[in-house]
Amino acid sequence: MPAIGTGEYRIALTESFRWRYAHNQDFWTSDPSLPRIAAMLLDYLEDRPNQNILDIGAGRGRDTRTFLEAGHRVTAIDLHRTSEWDELEDRWGPKLRFINSLVQDWVTSDMFDGAIDNGCFHHQHEEEYPTYLDRVCGVLKPGAHVVFCVFSPSEDDQGRGRFQVMDHGRVGRYFVEAEVRSLFTSHGFTWRASGRFRLPDNSCDNLACVVQTTR
Ligand SMILES: C[S@@+](CC[C@H](N)C(=O)[O-])C[C@H]1O[C@@H](n2cnc3c(N)ncnc32)[C@H](O)[C@@H]1O
């Protein structure tokens, strides 16, 4: 992790995503592998409608829409609010709630049946990993599943993870599976499964990590 404090990093992170959305540089929104992460969580949800789902770092709401159309309620949280949320809120009314906040700062008494983190965790400051994971774990019901999708070096390069500095000083963390597995299991989760999808430009993989809170 580059030598930058957490306060300064939060500003960089917010400015980077604001700029990306404002200039239509949010390539992840159209990454063809990312809808598979929401499909994975749907497979793990019990066959029961109207479950309470948390979409962490929800972006333009692609996955939120998937869960709403599957008959669930969604709380979507993101540090940046894009224009799509007005239309989504009009369409889905009380089944959808959008929270404009950093996940680490969010305080709620709501409890969730499942959660998705599709590309948010791997951009956090390393010193905030514990707060972030404790916050997520703390709002999940016992036995709830979460699917985290993180960058991972491609299969040929599995020895160690690395950081990449992106625009505005935003960081992308590329985790090898053992690293991320150890992080999640030391913050209240049980490891269940993983899946790997190559990014469209072949630069690395998206690693989907399925974890569960203790029953
Ligand atoms: C790579 S994008 C993925 C967006 C969406 N999940 C998708 O798959 O299209 C990461 C998102 O996380 C949001 N984000 C990053 N760090 C965050 C944090 N600490 N709290 C809340 N949102 C955050 C960004 O604004 C951005 O929309």
Side-chain angles (χ1 to χ4, degrees), residues 133-134 181-189:
L133 293 175
D134 290 344
R181 183 174 179 146
S182 154
L183 254 178
F184 294 151
T185 54
S186 59
H187 287 91
F189 295 107

Side-chain angles (χ1 to χ4, degrees), residues 17 21 28 57 59 62 78-79 101-104 118-120 124:
F17 280 113
Y21 286 117
W28 53 83
R62 182 198 56 242
D78 203 292
L79 57 78
S101 167
L102 287 164
V103 175
Q104 305 91 302
N118 206 349
C120 186
Q124 306 313 306

Side-chain angles (χ1 to χ4, degrees), residues 13 17 21 28-29 34 55-60 62-63 77-80 101-104 117-120 122-124 132 170:
L13 187 70
F17 280 113
Y21 286 117
W28 53 83
T29 301
L34 293 185
D55 186 353
I56 303 162
R60 294 194 190 271
R62 182 198 56 242
D63 299 329
I77 181 163
D78 203 292
L79 57 78
H80 181 76
S101 167
L102 287 164
V103 175
Q104 305 91 302
D117 184 314
N118 206 349
C120 186
H122 58 196
H123 291 301
Q124 306 313 306
Y132 186 105
R170 174 169 57 104

